[in-house]
Amino acid sequence: MTRQLLHGNWIFPEAPDRIRLAEDGFLLAEDGVILSLTRERPEGCDGLAVEEFGDQLLIPPFIDLHLHAVQYMNRGLGLDMTLLDWLRTYTYPEESRFADPLYAEQVFDRVCHELWYYGSLRSVIFSSLHREATLILMRKLSEAGLCAYVGKVNMDRNNAPELRETTAESLANTLAWLDEAEKYAPGVQPIITPRFIPSCTPELLQALGELVRERQLPVQSHLNETPEEVDWVRELCPDCANYLEAYEKYGLLPQGRTIMAHCIYNLPDEEKLLKERRITIAHCPSSNMNLGSGIARVREYLEAGMSIGLGSDISGGETLCMQQVIRDTLKSSALLARKRRFELKPLSFRQIFYMATRGGDFFGSCGSFEPGMPLDFLAVDDRALRGPGQRTLEERLQQFMYLGSGAEITKRVLAGRELPEPLWQA
Amino acid sequence: MTRQLLHGNWIFPEAPDRIRLAEDGFLLAEDGVILSLTRERPEGCDGLAVEEFGDQLLIPPFIDLHLHAVQYMNRGLGLDMTLLDWLRTYTYPEESRFADPLYAEQVFDRVCHELWYYGSLRSVIFSSLHREATLILMRKLSEAGLCAYVGKVNMDRNNAPELRETTAESLANTLAWLDEAEKYAPGVQPIITPRFIPSCTPELLQALGELVRERQLPVQSHLNETPEEVDWVRELCPDCANYLEAYEKYGLLPQGRTIMAHCIYNLPDEEKLLKERRITIAHCPSSNMNLGSGIARVREYLEAGMSIGLGSDISGGETLCMQQVIRDTLKSSALLARKRRFELKPLSFRQIFYMATRGGDFFGSCGSFEPGMPLDFLAVDDRALRGPGQRTLEERLQQFMYLGSGAEITKRVLAGRELPEPLWQA
């Protein structure tokens, strides 16, 4: 039994629009699980040394709900294109390179290092269709001590010549991958990942749905990202009332264990099902703006009690830096509010902080400093950002969230254990 | 006569949608002015040592056409507010602190350091209404070797109690400031700065207009930032057909020497006058998104041959980092294109590069590597951004513009002279 006692300025979201500021608070944890957070030093732990964080900010780590690790090298390229052009010109050719395990090693070292650096200690990741590369990514994440869901992508139609698998290959590789992936649990786990409806035949979707049911697996995919994509799905699936139904039909929406990225053009029936199934929406504003996809109605989703968090979506989004995603969440929400003449309000800073650190609760009970939760946190030295003068804790948090990056993070902790800087080659 | 010969990868905008890539080019300059840029080493300079930049990128420095130096400490605060609320809650109280010269010294050291760090070697700046603080800012910029226009703000109505001057004070201070400011020319020059129409009485505007005519001074102000502001101006100036006319009426739009920030809600007559007068539009997308102001029709302005560049607009914008402004220019433009069903195209990467480095030609002939222009450039070591693998020069430039910051800039040069890192206290 290991006990830890930490002292500092604890800041965390209690609810979507409520923040708790435990200035100069004592946090007691046992075996990496939080026991209490109190104003005074708790009794019964006299012999315990206090880990002192002084005037730093202590916040929950970020959760990145949607990113394509195999698009990492394309960050910032071709962003003046629209989704489907950009996929063909930049994305598919780059993803095809992950047939080479050496290339995969090199790139994933960088991805893991950046996730660590930016404090995104939990993430949900698309790999490529390659089994071996996907396992390399899982190994690297596991070695870095990061917590993640990783999916081997399934795609057996409408893809680029260099990036295609047959239905049989896709399934065989998925099964083999799932078997090998077991050794990285529970820190790094597999997630079933049909790329999106246009990329998967009904046969493949059917088989994946059976796998989800049999093995109790989670699912991630894309939903309602652009009107063009929605139209395409309608053509491909004339028997489905909407895009989401094309997943539902095949059992690909497991209760509370599904992530759908984007969700910009949801119809009312889709929103109803998203809510009933407690499907987590990965809001990806950087990508949605770069590619001119549109703006999701995040504030409405949040206020309707839906599960929603943030995703960097590299390389539709240009960076893994969660502060960039946070800025873009704010900015796109303010533009949407303007469009609705401020009858819909912009997201508040607190709501954005909640989404960035709770991640729609996809990872279960974590993302706050409440008893029973794992002791996960980032320590932030924000002196260089704020300069002279007094600021409240919440103002300091705003400046870190809007101006900071990984540079201010001095310590990254999951379940009471500090994650050391992962090795990588520049 | 000092000659310089430099060798490297020169990249610059030749026109709004045309980029020139002079890979492995030799640039010859004399007394800080460019003589030639050639593929081979030029003849007649055999004794001259070559300054070698290897595989770095050499680009024109950034030009920041609109920023409030006195709002620097508020970066990232209150961004979930709208313009007029945010002015009252955060902006006016902060600006009032610049009555204290010691505070001004401290903040402006940081501002100059950041302008240098981010490579914004030319800028056009709002100070506060304080004469002394404005002169301190001009001195600091001058000491840093930065090139800038700086304005003491004029505001004699509708302001906060802590930030107000009478018409007579405003004019007397302006005259005294202009006299003292002469010593910082030509590197740092004064610019007449009525805050915006709601902040200035007709008497003040009249007197400032006379000053502009008599002393041949440039002017900067705000135009058509939000619909609420436009309505307010309409109420205040019932005799003016539009917002721009409220400046025009008082002679505050000198030909080719005026900057108007924002320009989101321009009317056709205003656009006509902006074009005729060759008024430079400072496009400030970060601020326009943060405060939910709206999206300016930049591509239309650019294609109509209007003068337009970029502004960080701190602290409506959250940072002086021009890459953030560049990203936001791209993002807001893509959203506007979506709104118009892509009948209006998003800005291309080249157009954004042009705006970020040419600044609407407000600084005259600079921002390219053409004979007769001053030798101004940034050297960029982008290895950490791009990693392994081959990229074209233009792809590398994209990654620097969308992902980079000041960290990759290894040298900052104006008129052939390297600017050393300005001193500042953390």
Side-chain angles (χ1 to χ4, degrees), chain A residues 193-204:
Chain A
T193 306
R195 184 173 200 117
F196 68 154
I197 292 294
S199 291
C200 301
T201 59
E203 295 69 36
L204 180 57

Side-chain angles (χ1 to χ4, degrees), chain A residues 27-47:
Chain A
L27 190 145
L28 182 66
E30 191 172 274
D31 294 333
V33 175
I34 296 170
L35 292 181
S36 64
L37 173 56
T38 51
R39 184 174 294 275
E40 307 294 333
R41 188 186 162 109
E43 290 179 11
C45 55
D46 291 346

Side-chain angles (χ1 to χ4, degrees), chain A residues 73 75-76 78 80 228 289 292 318 324 327-328 331 334 338 349 386 391 395 398-399 402-403, chain B residues 73 75-76 78 80 90 228 289 292 318 324 327-328 331 334 338 349 386 391 398-399 402-403:
Chain A
M73 297 304 297
R75 285 150 30 264
D80 46 9
E228 295 75 19
M289 294 205 282
E318 73 278 12
Q324 181 65 39
R327 285 191 287 271
D328 287 335
K331 287 174 183 181
R338 164 64 62 191
F349 169 72
R386 61 194 167 106
R391 292 287 181 201
E395 285 176 333
Q398 283 187 40
Q399 292 198 304
Y402 290 137
L403 294 175
Chain B
M73 297 304 298
R75 284 152 26 267
D80 47 9
Y90 275 105
E228 295 75 18
M289 294 204 283
E318 72 278 12
Q324 181 64 39
R327 286 192 286 269
D328 287 336
K331 287 174 183 180
R338 165 63 62 193
F349 168 71
R386 62 195 167 103
R391 291 287 181 200
Q398 284 187 42
Q399 293 197 305
Y402 290 136
L403 294 175

Side-chain angles (χ1 to χ4, degrees), chain A residues 2 22 36 53 68 110 126 146 164 189 204 236 240 247 260 269-270 285 300 318 323 332 343 351 357 370 387 408:
Chain A
T2 311
S36 64
F53 289 92
H68 296 262
R110 300 172 75 100
F126 274 59
L146 294 161
R164 193 192 295 275
Q189 295 190 48
L204 180 57
L236 291 168
C240 292
Y247 294 110
M260 285 289 157
D269 281 350
E270 291 177 302
E300 286 180 10
E318 73 278 12
Q323 278 97 340
S332 57
E343 283 156 20
Q351 287 173 320
T357 53
E370 285 161 21
E408 296 81 21

Side-chain angles (χ1 to χ4, degrees), chain B residues 104-301:
Chain B
E105 292 263 352
Q106 222 175 0
V107 174
F108 294 151
D109 273 343
R110 300 171 77 99
V111 171
C112 290
H113 186 268
E114 280 211 0
L115 286 170
W116 174 89
Y117 176 73
Y118 289 124
S120 294
L121 307 190
R122 297 176 188 271
S123 55
V124 187
I125 308 181
F126 274 56
S127 177
S128 61
L129 57 77
H130 308 95
R131 182 187 55 174
E132 190 174 353
T134 306
L135 288 162
I136 290 168
L137 176 56
M138 295 178 88
R139 171 166 56 77
K140 298 272 179 197
L141 289 159
S142 185
E143 286 167 1
L146 295 161
C147 185
Y149 288 90
V150 176
K152 174 220 160 327
V153 168
N154 298 103
M155 43 196 297
D156 69 343
R157 69 170 173 183
N158 288 321
N159 300 305
E162 70 270 40
L163 199 68
R164 192 193 296 273
E165 51 185 9
T166 65
T167 310
E169 281 164 2
S170 191
L171 282 171
N173 272 320
T174 301
L175 289 167
W177 159 63
L178 287 172
D179 289 343
E180 287 194 61
E182 279 176 14
K183 58 177 174 269
Y184 303 116
V188 179
Q189 296 189 49
I191 182 166
I192 294 297
T193 305
R195 185 174 199 116
F196 69 152
I197 292 293
S199 290
C200 302
T201 60
E203 296 69 35
L204 179 57
L205 294 169
Q206 178 77 38
L208 291 176
E210 283 164 21
L211 210 48
V212 166
R213 188 171 44 77
E214 283 163 18
R215 304 204 185 189
Q216 302 284 304
L217 290 166
V219 172
Q220 65 179 342
S221 197
H222 296 90
L223 184 71
N224 293 322
E225 183 170 0
T226 69
E228 295 75 18
E229 177 209 19
V230 174
D231 289 346
W232 196 11
V233 171
R234 192 179 298 120
E235 280 170 36
L236 292 168
C237 311
D239 57 327
C240 291
N242 56 53
Y243 193 159
L244 190 59
E245 200 178 301
Y247 294 111
E248 164 71 354
K249 186 177 166 183
Y250 299 107
L252 286 164
L253 304 178
Q255 179 79 31
R257 304 202 71 204
T258 304
I259 292 190
M260 284 289 156
H262 304 291
C263 293
I264 303 175
Y265 298 97
N266 293 341
L267 299 171
D269 281 349
E270 291 177 303
E271 287 181 16
K272 199 161 158 268
L273 187 57
L274 286 167
K275 195 172 174 185
E276 280 172 13
R277 283 290 160 80
R278 195 133 190 93
I279 293 167
T280 297
I281 296 170
H283 176 51
C284 305
S286 307
S287 166
N288 295 345
M289 294 204 283
N290 282 329
L291 301 175
S293 303
I295 307 178
R297 287 170 289 113
V298 176
R299 190 166 178 128
E300 287 180 10
Y301 296 158

Side-chain angles (χ1 to χ4, degrees), chain A residues 22 39 73 99 147 182 225 288 307 348 376:
Chain A
R39 184 174 294 275
M73 297 304 297
C147 187
E182 279 175 15
E225 182 171 0
N288 294 346
S307 166
S348 71
D376 304 340

